[in-house]
Amino acid sequence: MTMQSIYAVGFCAHYSQPGDWAFDYALRLSQNNGLQLNVFHFLTNPYIPGDTTGKNISAGERKQLVIDRERELRMYYDKRSGDFLDVGFRLCEDNEWTELHRCLLVREFQVLVLPNISPGAVFAGRPINEFADSFVSPVVLVGPDRSDQLRLNSRAALIADRLELSDCSWEKITTATG
């Protein structure tokens, strides 16, 4: 079997305790393995179905919103990443599914880390477990109750030995469709 090479970790930002836990995990994975960490943030909140942030506003208001969100993103995660410099930031304006697949295709990440913000959380309009289970790359969900609570989709479970899981309990995601 061919082993997938990992060059970069993708992390979807969320300003919450599970978001901080997920970032800390993604940062540790990146630091310990010399990987690029790419932080993604969306204008519309992927955890809120039907969020219309950034829609139905003027071009000037949208431009300012993008500037403000990118500044907030960089300030928050620059501080959290400390001395680790191999961190990139991307504010995504398209829908989550399209943007994350586009980033995957251009190799901005090989492993995706998502905060699981609450039991029954939704991401990109689907239950987060279903999203993760159906996503085409390895996905690690962190939370919602503890920093060491990890759930892996089947692709991530295949490379679990390379995902810095020694201090964490983890389980494989199972859904009715997967």
Side-chain angles (χ1 to χ4, degrees):
M1 178 171 87
T2 303
M3 290 300 290
Q4 173 182 351
S5 295
I6 302 173
Y7 305 102
V9 175
F11 164 70
C12 289
H14 192 270
Y15 304 117
S16 65
Q17 187 171 44
D20 290 348
W21 294 335
F23 179 79
D24 292 345
Y25 167 75
L27 178 64
R28 184 177 74 245
L29 178 61
S30 298
Q31 287 175 316
N32 291 348
N33 293 284
L35 307 173
Q36 169 78 29
L37 174 57
N38 290 315
V39 178
F40 301 99
H41 190 58
F42 296 90
L43 277 184
T44 58
N45 188 333
Y47 291 91
I48 300 175
D51 182 25
T52 60
T53 303
K55 299 184 187 320
N56 303 321
I57 60 175
S58 71
E61 290 171 318
R62 185 173 177 86
K63 182 177 179 180
Q64 188 60 49
L65 178 63
V66 168
I67 291 168
D68 293 345
R69 287 283 178 90
E70 188 166 346
R71 181 180 299 123
E72 176 185 33
L73 177 70
R74 288 175 181 272
M75 289 179 68
Y76 189 82
Y77 288 106
D78 267 346
K79 186 182 299 183
R80 292 193 63 80
S81 59
D83 293 339
F84 188 67
L85 299 177
D86 210 0
V87 181
F89 298 94
R90 180 169 177 176
L91 185 65
C92 304
E93 297 186 54
D94 204 346
N95 74 58
E96 304 81 15
W97 187 262
T98 302
E99 286 281 4
L100 290 174
H101 278 86
R102 184 178 299 133
C103 294
L104 182 62
L105 286 173
V106 296
R107 304 188 57 79
E108 290 186 41
F109 66 89
Q110 291 73 46
V111 175
L112 180 63
V113 177
L114 295 174
N116 187 1
I117 62 170
S118 65
V122 171
F123 187 86
R126 299 171 68 186
I128 197 166
N129 286 338
E130 286 182 20
F131 176 87
D133 192 45
S134 67
F135 201 68
V136 298
S137 77
V139 176
V140 178
L141 299 179
V142 181
D145 302 314
R146 302 180 321 275
S147 62
D148 65 345
Q149 183 180 20
L150 305 181
R151 303 192 78 205
L152 281 58
N153 70 358
S154 59
R155 290 150 210 80
L158 289 173
I159 61 168
D161 60 323
R162 300 182 342 189
L163 295 178
E164 298 287 325
L165 302 173
S166 60
D167 295 338
C168 304
S169 61
W170 67 273
E171 63 182 65
K172 187 176 170 187
I173 296 170
T174 56
T175 63
T177 61

